Amino acid sequence: MLFHLHMALLGVAEWDVSQLSDCVKNRCPRTDADPAEDSDLAMYFINPELGHLDEPCIIMDMHGCIILWYLPGIYSLH
């Protein structure tokens, strides 16, 4: 049985997800929350303002690479 799932494109980030990945993987693991480190990334990789998500959607980077699939209710309690 095939299911057709309508996915809306909700947002496009204005940065490259590969560059973000390189920045994150080249950092040392941290043991506590360091606000300076978070603000450093936030300066270059600004999250798009999307509001409340309640429908299936995708978010892509500036090159069309999918960053996030949002699939509410995909896991069943049964």
Side-chain angles (χ1 to χ4, degrees), residues 2-3 8 10 30 35 37 39:
L2 288 175
F3 292 96
L10 185 63
R30 61 185 197 185
E37 186 174 324
S39 66

Side-chain angles (χ1 to χ4, degrees), residues 13 22 34 39 51-52 67 71 76:
D22 289 342
D34 182 2
S39 66
H52 178 73
I67 298 171
L71 304 170
S76 171

Side-chain angles (χ1 to χ4, degrees), residues 9 11-13 15-17 58-67:
L9 171 61
V12 177
W15 38 264
D16 183 340
V17 73
I58 58 173
I59 300 171
M60 298 190 305
D61 76 352
M62 64 191 297
H63 300 294
C65 295
I66 295 174
I67 298 171

Side-chain angles (χ1 to χ4, degrees), residues 14-65:
E14 297 179 7
W15 38 264
D16 183 340
V17 73
S18 296
Q19 288 178 337
L20 174 62
S21 174
D22 289 342
C23 287
V24 172
K25 73 180 178 186
N26 290 328
R27 293 177 184 246
C28 295
R30 61 185 197 185
T31 57
D32 59 346
D34 182 2
E37 186 174 324
D38 289 340
S39 66
D40 181 37
L41 284 176
M43 183 171 37
Y44 298 105
F45 304 103
I46 300 168
N47 287 328
E49 295 293 326
L50 304 174
H52 178 73
L53 303 177
D54 60 358
E55 296 290 324
C57 63
I58 58 173
I59 300 171
M60 298 190 305
D61 76 352
M62 64 191 297
H63 300 294
C65 295

